[in-house]
């Protein structure tokens, strides 16, 4: 059974049109992360939520926002997608921020195309 | 300089070959190290942790050299199913345990 679920798997959006990607988890983990992975590049952390605390990475563009209405759900909002935002967006969870790498669970990702 | 650097490959090897991947990291205070495997258009999955003493899991052996800030992965007796991208991952010191990924090394095993 999938424990971190991302919807949709594939998303096509128009240049400049706001888009929201969703992530849900059944693990009751405290921490939820959003990573961006462009083609042939390393996954790059955009931000994470530790419970309700939002933690932005210093180099994450303002165009990217996130919401976590409850423990189970986390959303990635891209306010005005540009062609450069086309990527795979990966959601991950961990029980606590003290978890080492084996404690991370990744979703299957959402592949975003901007036209 | 990137925090985690890997040779992008691709490494094209025949079945049964032994192949080694290397990775260097820039933060000498990094505390934890891992290899992840990522299949095409899929999410990364943990392959194994890396310890200073070295560790082995079946055909896979990982080594860490803290003095040289260098991590390696050795795959023996390569199978077709080993074809994937192998990502070197580091957890830097301080703060919470966020994963810093390398861009990955692509392996293609052919019959």
């Amino acid at each position: 059974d999938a424990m971190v679920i991302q919807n949709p798997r594939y998303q096509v959006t128009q240049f400049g049109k706001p888009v929201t990607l969703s992530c849900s988890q059944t693990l009751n983990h405290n921490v939820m992360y959003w990573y961006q992975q462009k083609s042939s590049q390393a996954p790059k952390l955009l931000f994470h939520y530790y419970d309700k605390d939002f933690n932005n990475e210093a180099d994450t563009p303002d165009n990217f926002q996130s919401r976590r209405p409850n423990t189970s759900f986390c959303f990635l909002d891209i306010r005005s997608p540009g062609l450069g935002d086309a990527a795979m967006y990966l959601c991950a969870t961990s029980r606590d921020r003290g978890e080492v790498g084996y404690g991370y669970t990744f979703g299957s990702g959402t592949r975003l195309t901007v036209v | 300089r990137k925090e985690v650097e890997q040779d992008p490959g691709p490494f094209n090897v025949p079945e049964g070959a032994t192949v080694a991947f290397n990775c260097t990291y820039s933060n000498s205070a990094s505390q934890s190290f891992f290899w992840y495997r990522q299949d095409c258009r899929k999410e990364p999955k943990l392959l194994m942790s890396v310890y200073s003493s070295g560790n082995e899991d079946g055909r896979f052996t990982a080594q860490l050299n803290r003095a040289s800030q260098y991590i390696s992965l050795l795959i023996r007796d390569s199978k077709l199913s080993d074809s994937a991208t192998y990502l070197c991952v580091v957890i830097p010191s301080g703060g919470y345990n966020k994963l810093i990924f390398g861009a990955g090394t692509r392996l293609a095993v052919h019959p």
Side-chain angles (χ1 to χ4, degrees):
Chain A
D1 290 335
M3 294 176 287
V4 180
I5 301 165
Q6 291 189 243
N7 283 307
R9 286 295 306 274
Y10 301 92
Q11 174 75 57
V12 180
T13 191
Q14 289 182 331
F15 182 94
K17 184 175 180 181
V19 64
T20 295
L21 310 182
S22 79
C23 177
S24 64
Q25 55 130 339
T26 59
L27 299 163
N28 206 33
H29 281 176
N30 284 326
V31 195
M32 296 186 78
Y33 308 82
W34 280 104
Y35 282 83
Q36 178 195 61
Q37 186 177 24
K38 296 184 179 180
S39 181
S40 301
Q41 295 186 23
K44 178 179 176 299
L45 182 64
L46 295 173
F47 27 58
H48 77 278
Y49 268 97
Y50 178 61
D51 196 14
K52 294 178 184 178
D53 268 347
F54 177 70
N55 297 268
N56 205 23
E57 293 298 300
D59 54 356
T60 297
D62 292 340
N63 198 25
F64 291 86
Q65 304 285 321
S66 186
R67 296 170 284 135
R68 189 179 186 185
N70 53 53
T71 301
S72 301
F73 284 87
C74 195
F75 300 99
L76 169 62
D77 300 309
I78 308 176
R79 293 194 297 194
S80 181
L83 297 178
D85 297 328
M88 169 88 95
Y89 289 88
L90 293 159
C91 175
T93 72
S94 65
R95 188 168 51 200
D96 201 346
R97 287 201 289 200
E99 295 282 278
V100 292
Y102 60 79
Y104 281 68
T105 303
F106 279 88
S108 301
T110 293
R111 185 164 293 277
L112 179 69
T113 301
V114 182
V115 298
Chain B
R1 184 185 170 187
K2 292 180 182 174
E3 290 186 78
V4 180
E5 298 212 56
Q6 297 181 247
D7 181 343
F11 284 58
N12 293 300
V13 302
E15 275 185 290
T18 295
V19 62
F21 305 138
N22 303 319
C23 167
T24 57
Y25 59 95
S26 60
N27 184 342
S28 60
S30 296
Q31 55 182 317
S32 301
F33 310 89
F34 309 89
W35 284 101
Y36 274 67
R37 170 190 169 131
Q38 187 171 28
D39 292 294
C40 190
R41 296 178 176 265
K42 298 281 182 71
E43 74 275 21
K45 292 187 177 174
L46 179 65
L47 180 66
M48 60 197 303
S49 302
V50 189
Y51 306 116
S52 296
S53 54
N55 51 305
E56 190 173 308
D57 183 1
R59 298 181 293 109
F60 298 83
T61 300
Q63 290 274 351
L64 166 66
N65 183 321
R66 281 190 183 271
S68 302
Q69 295 176 214
Y70 170 97
I71 305 160
S72 66
L73 177 68
L74 183 77
I75 305 176
R76 290 181 298 278
D77 188 23
S78 299
K79 312 290 184 194
L80 296 176
S81 57
D82 293 334
S83 298
T85 297
Y86 291 84
L87 301 167
C88 177
V89 181
V90 170
I91 293 182
S93 67
Y96 66 97
N97 289 333
K98 72 177 185 181
L99 304 180
I100 307 294
F101 286 85
T105 299
R106 197 154 63 87
L107 172 66
V109 182
H110 57 82

